[in-house]
Amino acid sequence: MKYGKKILCLALFLFSGIFLLTGCFEPHKDAAETIQILYKLVINQDTKTAEDFGIPSSVTETFKDAYKETCYQQLKNGFETNGFSIDDETLRNIVNARCDMYSKLECTTSISSKSKKTVSVTIETQYYDETAIMNKALEKTMRKAMDENIMHMSGSQLKRKMGEFYTEYLIKGYENAKPEEETRTIFVSCSKQHFLWLPSNLEDFITLLINTVSGL
C-alpha cells in the first residue's frame, strides 16, 4: 500500500497545484464540499464531479488510469511474491471489479468546527470489510480444491488451479459485496491554501480515508 499511497498523493498534489496556479477552481466551495469532491475522486473514481469543480478531464483521466495501474501492479506483485502467476486479463478484471465495488460507496461531509486558519470536517462514510471478502474467497477456494480432489497435483499445477479458483471467487466477492450496515466517522483538519480548502496533511488524509472505507 505504501507505493500506491505515494502515487495517489502525488496525483492529488498535482491537482492542488492546478487549482492554485490556474484559478480553475470555484473559490466559493467550502471545506466540506472540497472533501466531498476528493472522496468521490479517490474512492468512487468519479471524474465528472472533479471536472465540474474545474479540473481538466485530461488530468482526472490520467489520475484514474494511474490509480488502476497502481492497483494492478500491487496485485501482481502480491501474487508473484506468493508464487502465483496470474494472467494480465484476470488481474485487470480483479482491479475493475474492486473499483466498481468502491464506486458504490457514499459519504456525507459537514463542518464540525472552524477557526480563522483551520476547519474541521466530519466524514461519515459507508465501508466494506475487504479482508473478510478476501478470506471468504480463500475459504471457497480451499473447499473447491477439496471437492475436486486436486490436492494430489504437482506444486506448479496445484498453484495454477488454486490461483484460478481464488481469482474467480475474489472477483465474484467484489461484484456481490455490500457495504457494512453501520457507517464509520472520521475527521480531517483543513487549511486554506490560497483560495482553496484542502486537508492540512493530504498524505495522512488519503491514507486514513482508504483504510477507513476498506475496513482496516
Side-chain angles (χ1 to χ4, degrees):
M1 289 301 295
K2 186 176 181 182
Y3 173 72
K5 180 182 71 174
K6 286 185 177 181
I7 294 294
L8 288 172
C9 290
L10 179 62
L12 286 176
F13 276 121
L14 173 62
F15 293 161
S16 64
I18 290 173
F19 296 152
L20 302 179
L21 296 175
T22 69
C24 64
F25 58 88
E26 298 178 42
H28 64 273
K29 295 287 186 183
D30 64 25
E33 291 175 302
T34 303
I35 295 300
Q36 180 76 233
I37 290 167
L38 292 179
Y39 180 100
K40 287 182 176 295
L41 183 61
V42 175
I43 304 303
N44 300 144
Q45 296 287 286
D46 176 1
T47 58
K48 184 179 184 304
T49 301
E51 288 163 12
D52 290 343
F53 185 48
I55 305 176
S57 59
S58 58
V59 176
T60 60
E61 289 301 327
T62 297
F63 170 82
K64 192 173 181 178
D65 291 343
Y67 177 88
K68 285 192 173 184
E69 188 61 28
T70 297
C71 292
Y72 167 83
Q73 289 297 335
Q74 289 179 329
L75 192 63
K76 182 179 180 180
N77 293 341
F79 277 118
E80 289 180 348
T81 298
N82 289 284
F84 292 92
S85 179
I86 308 299
D87 65 272
D88 182 77
E89 182 180 0
T90 299
L91 289 172
R92 296 200 182 278
N93 286 341
I94 294 172
V95 171
N96 289 335
R98 185 177 184 273
C99 287
D100 287 344
M101 178 183 76
Y102 280 107
S103 72
K104 301 170 186 175
L105 287 185
E106 297 179 354
C107 82
T108 59
T109 58
S110 59
I111 295 176
S112 50
S113 66
K114 61 173 65 177
S115 66
K116 288 183 178 180
K117 294 184 178 180
T118 62
V119 172
S120 179
V121 175
T122 301
I123 307 169
E124 185 175 349
T125 179
Q126 296 177 307
Y127 73 98
Y128 294 103
D129 186 343
E130 190 168 359
T131 299
I133 294 171
M134 292 187 288
N135 287 341
K136 193 169 185 178
L138 181 59
E139 290 173 7
K140 289 183 176 181
T141 296
M142 296 303 297
R143 193 178 305 122
K144 186 170 183 177
M146 297 298 292
D147 290 344
E148 297 197 5
N149 193 28
I150 66 170
M151 303 306 289
H152 65 280
M153 289 182 173
S154 66
S156 59
Q157 287 180 313
L158 181 60
K159 280 200 169 185
R160 181 178 61 80
K161 291 298 291 184
M162 294 288 278
E164 290 175 2
F165 294 162
Y166 179 73
T167 54
E168 177 186 353
Y169 286 126
L170 184 60
I171 289 172
K172 288 181 178 178
Y174 285 145
E175 290 175 342
N176 298 324
K178 296 185 182 300
E180 297 296 305
E181 291 186 3
E182 72 274 16
T183 59
R184 285 184 162 186
T185 302
I186 57 176
F187 304 91
V188 56
S189 175
C190 297
S191 57
K192 208 165 192 177
Q193 301 176 32
H194 291 262
F195 298 99
L196 183 69
W197 288 102
L198 286 173
S200 299
N201 189 317
L202 199 54
E203 183 171 336
D204 285 351
F205 166 67
I206 294 174
T207 303
L208 175 62
L209 187 59
I210 292 175
N211 287 345
T212 299
V213 299
S214 60
L216 298 178

